[in-house]
C-alpha cells in the first residue's frame, strides 16, 4: 500500500504483508504492532552505520525530540556479537501534542542486518529494524510494538485510522532516513 501523503515513490510502502511479532513470544491484547518498509538505494552497511548512531535519530524523525546515551562511556558494557556495546538510552518523543519519554536498552545488534531494542522504563515498547540487501540496494523494515493500557489498546485496535497514522509517521521517518543518508553518501 502506498502512502498518499507524499508523491508516490516506487519502493515506499507500509508493509502489511507480514504480521509483526514482538521480540518476546506472543502478542497480548494490549500490544499495538506497527511496521513500515522501504527500499534504500545503498548497501546494508551504509544503512546500518547510520541507524546505529542513536543520538542522530531525531534528524530523520519529526516525532523524536532527543535520544541520549545514559550510561557512562566507561561503564561495563555488554557487547553484541559484532563488538558494538549494547547501551542504554533515553528517548523523548512528541506526538500529536503529547510528550513521552522512556529509557531503552539495545537487545541485539547484528552488523549489518539487525538492530533491536526494548524499553526499560516509561512508555513500554520494543522493536527492531532490519536491513536486507536486494536488487535495488537494501530493504529496510522498521517494526515496533507498543504496550498500551488496556482501554487505550482497545480504542487503537478499533480505529485503524490511528494505527494507520502511526504507520505513516514510521514511513515518513524511513523516507527521511533514506534522503538524509543518500545525501551523506553522495
Amino acid at each position: 500500500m502506498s502512502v498518499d501523503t507524499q508523491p508516490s515513490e516506487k519502493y515506499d510502502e507500509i508493509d502489511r504483508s507480514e504480521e509483526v511479532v514482538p521480540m518476546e513470544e506472543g502478542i497480548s491484547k494490549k500490544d499495538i504492532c506497527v511496521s513500515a518498509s522501504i527500499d534504500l538505494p545503498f548497501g546494508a552497511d551504509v544503512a546500518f552505520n547510520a541507524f546505529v548512531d542513536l543520538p542522530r535519530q531525531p534528524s530523520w524523525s519529526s516525532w523524536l525530540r532527543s535520544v541520549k546515551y545514559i550510561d557512562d562511556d566507561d561503564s561495563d558494557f555488554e557487547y553484541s556479537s559484532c563488538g558494538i556495546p549494547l547501551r542504554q538510552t533515553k528517548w523523548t518523543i512528541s506526538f500529536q501534542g503529547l510528550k513521552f519519554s522512556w529509557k531503552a536498552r539495545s537487545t541485539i545488534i547484528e552488523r549489518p542486518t539487525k538492530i533491536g531494542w526494548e524499553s526499560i522504563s516509561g512508555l513500554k515498547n520494543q522493536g527492531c529494524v532490519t536491513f536486507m540487501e536486494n536488487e535495488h540496494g537494501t530493504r529496510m523494515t522498521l517494526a515496533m510494538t507498543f504496550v498500551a493500557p488496556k482501554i487505550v489498546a482497545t480504542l487503537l485496535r478499533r480505529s485503524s485510522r490511528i494505527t494507520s497514522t502511526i504507520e505513516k509517521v514510521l514511513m515518513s521517518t524511513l523516507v527521511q532516513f533514506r534522503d538524509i543518508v543518500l545525501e551523506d553518501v553522495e
Side-chain angles (χ1 to χ4, degrees), residues 30-42:
K30 293 195 238 178
D31 292 349
I32 305 299
C33 302
V34 292
S35 69
S37 294
I38 190 170
D39 277 338
L40 306 171
F42 41 81

Side-chain angles (χ1 to χ4, degrees), residues 2-156:
S2 294
V3 176
D4 298 326
T5 58
Q6 297 188 7
S8 177
E9 290 283 341
K10 184 175 176 184
Y11 304 113
D12 297 353
E13 67 184 61
I14 295 173
D15 186 357
R16 290 188 174 86
S17 62
E18 300 175 10
E19 185 173 336
V20 178
V21 178
M23 290 178 184
E24 294 177 21
E25 290 188 340
I27 298 175
S28 82
K29 290 183 179 180
K30 293 195 238 178
D31 292 349
I32 305 299
C33 302
V34 292
S35 69
S37 294
I38 190 170
D39 277 338
L40 306 171
F42 41 81
D45 278 329
V46 171
F48 178 93
N49 288 338
F51 201 88
V52 80
D53 183 2
L54 299 180
R56 191 175 172 200
Q57 297 281 327
S59 68
W60 49 74
S61 179
S62 62
W63 52 279
L64 269 172
R65 294 295 164 243
S66 66
V67 180
K68 298 177 183 174
Y69 290 114
I70 57 174
D71 46 16
D72 296 329
D73 286 333
D74 58 353
S75 295
D76 289 331
F77 296 122
E78 181 181 342
Y79 286 84
S80 66
S81 60
C82 63
I84 297 174
L86 300 173
R87 297 192 64 184
Q88 293 184 9
T89 48
K90 180 178 181 185
W91 297 69
T92 303
I93 65 169
S94 179
F95 185 72
Q96 296 186 344
L98 301 172
K99 189 175 180 181
F100 300 96
S101 292
W102 69 91
K103 293 179 182 175
R105 68 177 186 90
S106 298
T107 56
I108 187 166
I109 301 176
E110 296 174 359
R111 183 181 301 276
T113 59
K114 188 175 188 179
I115 300 167
W117 67 90
E118 67 181 358
S119 63
I120 55 175
S121 72
L123 180 66
K124 293 189 125 245
N125 70 87
Q126 59 185 4
C128 71
V129 61
T130 58
F131 308 97
M132 301 301 295
E133 291 197 350
N134 62 29
E135 65 273 9
H136 304 290
T138 303
R139 179 76 165 174
M140 177 182 185
T141 299
L142 176 59
M144 299 178 72
T145 300
F146 300 92
V147 180
K150 189 174 183 176
I151 187 75
V152 173
T154 301
L155 291 172
L156 287 173

